[in-house]
């Protein structure tokens, strides 16, 4: 079951998704909570599918949503869809923490099912702790197939309160292996993640 923090993250995801892409077809994955899926559908009208990580989560969510729209993630992170079907995918942080190989597989599958210019949106713990990501970790996870076009932090972030989440909206680009850039104090990782065109326009 998603926590209240997950639900706040989902709201931020919906805001960024609506800002950066028109959502006619989207996927939310790994939240394990029908309320999150319903909130995303309400915020971004369109055709939505839900993918859950495990049989129990799928059955629980399918009991509230249309069962035909609730599918199950593969053991290796496989998404049960054809290529280039969706304009936005919203991932739960739970799918990106833990085994690195599986997180990378989920990101690659997200890239596969997104249309050109489609967006991947997710929120992660930005504390840099074992269960979270720093911006450098986010870059390393996304660099081969996405450019970051939007970042959002909750209002309590600047006060150093627990729950320092960072919501990321990343636009799909051609997949190719990319080496890590040289990033110094004058160039934050969020800027290094952008293509030259996106970097010139800046983040909104």
């Amino acid at each position: 079951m998603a926590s209240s923090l997950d639900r706040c993250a989902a709201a931020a995801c919906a805001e960024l998704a609506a800002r950066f892409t028109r959502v006619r077809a989207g996927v939310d994955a790994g939240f394990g909570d029908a309320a999150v899926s319903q909130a995303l559908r309400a915020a971004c009208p369109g055709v939505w599918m839900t993918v859950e990580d495990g049989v129990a989560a799928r059955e629980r969510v399918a009991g509230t949503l249309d069962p035909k729209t609730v599918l199950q993630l593969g053991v290796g992170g496989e998404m049960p869809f054809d290529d280039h079907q969706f304009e936005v995918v919203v991932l739960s942080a739970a799918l990106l923490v833990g085994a690195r190989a599986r997180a990378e597989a989920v990101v690659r599958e997200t890239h596969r099912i997104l249309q050109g210019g489609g967006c991947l949106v997710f929120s992660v713990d930005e504390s840099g702790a074992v269960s979270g990501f720093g911006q450098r970790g986010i870059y390393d996870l996304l660099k081969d197939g996405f450019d970051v076009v939007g970042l959002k932090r909750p209002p309590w972030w600047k006060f150093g309160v627990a729950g320092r989440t960072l919501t990321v909206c990343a636009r799909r680009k051609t997949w190719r292996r990319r080496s890590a850039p040289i990033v110094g104090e004058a160039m934050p990782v969020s800027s290094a993640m952008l293509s030259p065109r996106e970097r010139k326009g800046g983040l909104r």
Side-chain angles (χ1 to χ4, degrees):
M1 185 70 67
S3 67
S4 59
L5 188 59
D6 288 329
R7 295 182 185 187
C8 289
C13 287
E15 180 182 332
L16 284 182
R19 184 189 306 175
F20 288 100
T21 188
R22 179 182 176 186
V23 182
R24 289 172 294 191
V27 175
D28 64 275
F31 288 97
D33 188 342
V36 170
S37 299
Q38 290 170 326
L40 288 167
R41 286 158 168 74
C44 302
V47 177
W48 281 84
M49 299 294 292
T50 295
V51 178
E52 294 299 346
D53 192 12
V55 175
R58 182 184 60 78
E59 291 180 348
R60 181 172 62 248
V61 173
T64 300
L65 302 176
D66 179 352
K68 295 179 181 178
T69 68
V70 184
L71 304 176
Q72 188 172 330
L73 192 69
V75 175
E78 300 87 357
M79 294 277 187
F81 305 110
D82 293 333
D83 296 353
H84 314 309
Q85 280 194 270
F86 300 97
E87 291 156 322
V88 65
V89 176
V90 181
L91 295 180
S92 165
L95 297 180
L96 300 176
V97 299
R100 176 72 182 194
R102 191 163 192 259
E104 291 175 348
V106 169
V107 169
R108 184 62 188 259
E109 278 290 275
T110 297
H111 185 275
R112 181 184 64 78
I113 67 173
L114 278 170
Q115 298 173 6
C119 288
L120 163 62
V121 190
F122 60 90
S123 293
V124 291
D125 172 10
E126 199 186 6
S127 67
V130 173
S131 61
F133 283 87
Q135 289 192 36
R136 195 173 300 272
I138 292 170
Y139 170 81
D140 191 51
L141 185 66
L142 298 179
K143 68 183 187 306
D144 294 335
F146 293 91
D147 280 328
V148 167
V149 294
L151 298 171
K152 182 178 177 61
R153 293 182 174 93
W156 58 84
W157 184 92
K158 59 187 173 183
F159 301 110
V161 179
R164 289 180 57 144
T165 57
L166 177 66
T167 301
V168 178
C169 181
R171 182 168 287 137
R172 185 188 188 279
K173 62 183 177 183
T174 301
W175 189 280
R176 67 179 177 83
R177 298 299 297 178
R178 292 171 171 85
S179 59
I182 298 173
V183 180
E185 292 298 323
M187 185 180 184
V189 172
S190 56
S191 294
M193 296 167 75
L194 296 170
S195 66
R197 184 179 66 179
E198 295 286 2
R199 190 182 305 127
K200 183 178 178 180
L203 293 177
R204 287 190 280 174

